[in-house]
Amino acid sequence: MQETQILSSISNTRALPTSTFSNPSRPQLPTPPSHDFPSLSHPRNPRFPTLSTKTNTTLPHPHPHPHPHPKPASSSSDFEEKMLYLDSIGIDFLSLIDDHPPILSSPLSEIKSTVDFVTSTAGFTAVEFRRIVGMCPEVLSSRVSEIVPVFTFLIREARVNGSDLKRVINRRPRLLASSVRNRLRPTLYFLQSIGIAEVDKHTNLLSCSVEEKLLPRIEYLEKIGFSHRDSLSMFRRFPQLFCYSIKDNFEPKFDYFVVEMGRDLKELKEFPQYFSFSLEKRIKPRHQSCVEKGVCFPLPILLKTSNAQFRDRLEICCNTSLPFKSSPLWCTDCDIHSI
């Protein structure tokens, strides 16, 4: 009854004309009840149950939460079948889930097809396949229809010799999980466009993103002072530069090269392999040895020679003068174009 009266008064208030609120000093005549809410315009007298005068302080007992529904038998069975099958070929399914959760949604039939194709048609041994999955778990959830084009691309477009396919895949398993259209082919065209003709010798780069990995490294060399032309020349001379981290490799080694060694950028242009040597185990110790003896070796002699050869050269240079660069003794047995 009380709720009906309150709603009825709200209805009447909404029906008042605007002038009621614009000029409060002017008396207003009462208006007939509004019929905006016809069901509320005529109060009703519903019968309400009589409330007890005693207050019930006993709280209702909460209903227990229903137990989660068990997984369907088919899902549990599929999980067990996958685990048993992968265990039979030497792959730990639980560890695989941690490394590659999408494997849970891969149908067992497709997993078996992929395993059969790679180990039978492609000719990889069980040991090689386990190593491939360990390095790139995505291979196991790739379909055969996605893997076959990779082999075709490597042979026809990247010019990989058929006898070298297994070596190429074992070296870079991620190739098998890479899209030919979206990754392999665009990267191939980019490498060819900057002058790397023999891409078949650098197939590990094909699975790299041009935008996320290759271009940022070229831009870094330009940032530290190399021209665009010289930067590309360094990558043509030593394509493995694309594989090195800017933060963990380029930056600390370049800082040491400039600040501690005081060398010229021209030396890096001629010997970009400098970035392939360990800063702590090779570059620093040998540079410090040269500083102590008061000699300065060209980068190839400083870094490429064996420990015994380096000590011998260092000892000789302490007693004699370093040959001129025009001398046939300069950089003997040290080809700067290979490692």
Side-chain angles (χ1 to χ4, degrees):
M1 181 69 178
Q2 187 176 7
E3 292 179 358
T4 305
Q5 292 176 348
I6 294 174
L7 291 174
S8 179
S9 64
I10 294 175
S11 175
N12 292 336
T13 303
R14 290 180 179 176
L16 292 176
T18 308
S19 59
T20 303
F21 301 96
S22 59
N23 189 2
S25 61
R26 183 178 179 181
Q28 300 294 329
L29 296 175
T31 57
S34 171
H35 296 284
D36 291 342
F37 303 93
S39 61
L40 301 177
S41 59
H42 300 286
R44 298 179 181 178
N45 295 319
R47 295 182 180 180
F48 291 95
T50 304
L51 297 177
S52 173
T53 56
K54 295 182 180 180
T55 304
N56 185 6
T57 58
T58 304
L59 296 176
H61 191 276
H63 295 288
H65 294 288
H67 295 289
H69 295 289
K71 293 183 178 180
S74 58
S75 299
S76 176
S77 175
D78 182 65
F79 182 91
E80 292 177 0
E81 288 181 8
K82 284 182 185 179
M83 183 170 62
L84 292 174
Y85 172 72
L86 293 175
D87 183 69
S88 69
I89 61 176
I91 296 177
D92 185 356
F93 186 43
L94 298 180
S95 298
L96 183 64
I97 294 174
D98 292 336
D99 297 333
H100 185 55
I103 193 64
L104 286 170
S105 60
S106 298
L108 179 58
S109 59
E110 292 185 0
I111 295 177
K112 288 183 176 180
S113 297
T114 298
V115 174
D116 291 341
F117 175 80
V118 176
T119 57
S120 299
T121 307
F124 289 85
T125 66
V127 174
E128 289 173 329
F129 183 74
R130 286 195 294 269
R131 179 179 175 275
I132 288 173
V133 173
M135 295 178 66
C136 183
E138 293 85 350
V139 171
L140 201 57
S141 59
S142 299
R143 299 179 179 179
V144 174
S145 59
E146 298 169 336
I147 295 178
V148 170
V150 174
F151 285 97
T152 304
F153 167 83
L154 291 174
I155 293 175
R156 295 184 178 179
E157 299 185 48
R159 304 298 180 183
V160 175
N161 193 302
S163 60
D164 293 331
L165 272 178
K166 288 183 62 177
R167 177 186 60 81
V168 167
I169 298 299
N170 279 323
R171 184 182 180 189
R172 186 66 172 175
R174 186 160 296 279
L175 289 168
L176 292 181
S178 300
S179 167
V180 172
R181 179 180 179 181
N182 299 326
R183 177 58 56 84
L184 301 182
R185 188 173 290 123
T187 303
L188 172 67
Y189 291 165
F190 175 80
L191 294 175
Q192 291 174 337
S193 71
I194 64 174
I196 301 178
E198 297 179 328
V199 180
D200 59 306
K201 296 182 179 179
H202 308 285
T203 51
N204 59 309
L205 297 176
L206 291 173
S207 60
C208 299
S209 168
V210 174
E211 294 78 11
E212 297 176 5
K213 189 164 187 176
L214 305 189
L215 286 177
R217 281 149 182 78
I218 295 176
E219 293 169 354
Y220 175 79
L221 292 187
E222 295 176 1
K223 177 183 175 182
I224 62 177
F226 292 99
S227 66
H228 182 69
R229 181 177 180 179
D230 288 344
S231 298
L232 296 184
S233 174
M234 293 172 67
F235 283 102
R236 283 195 298 269
R237 186 186 297 269
F238 187 54
Q240 293 306 311
L241 277 180
F242 283 123
C243 300
Y244 300 141
S245 166
I246 294 176
K247 181 179 179 180
D248 299 329
N249 188 307
F250 284 177
E251 290 181 352
K253 291 179 182 178
F254 180 74
D255 289 344
Y256 189 82
F257 178 84
V258 174
V259 177
E260 299 296 332
M261 300 176 71
R263 301 266 186 157
D264 189 83
L265 290 181
K266 184 178 179 181
E267 292 189 76
L268 280 183
K269 176 188 173 183
E270 296 178 353
F271 189 67
Q273 293 92 333
Y274 164 84
F275 291 102
S276 67
F277 294 95
S278 170
L279 181 60
E280 299 298 331
K281 296 180 180 180
R282 180 64 68 95
I283 299 175
K284 285 185 178 182
R286 293 199 174 184
H287 170 69
Q288 291 169 359
S289 297
C290 289
V291 172
E292 292 172 359
K293 298 293 184 178
V295 298
C296 181
F297 286 143
L299 288 179
I301 295 179
L302 177 69
L303 300 174
K304 290 187 63 176
T305 54
S306 65
N307 290 332
Q309 290 174 329
F310 176 75
R311 287 193 298 267
D312 291 342
R313 287 178 179 272
L314 194 61
E315 189 65 27
I316 293 174
C317 289
C318 288
N319 300 321
T320 60
S321 60
L322 191 66
F324 292 105
K325 194 169 184 178
S326 58
S327 169
L329 297 178
W330 176 269
C331 202
T332 304
D333 298 328
C334 195
D335 181 10
I336 67 173
H337 299 290
S338 62
I339 287 186

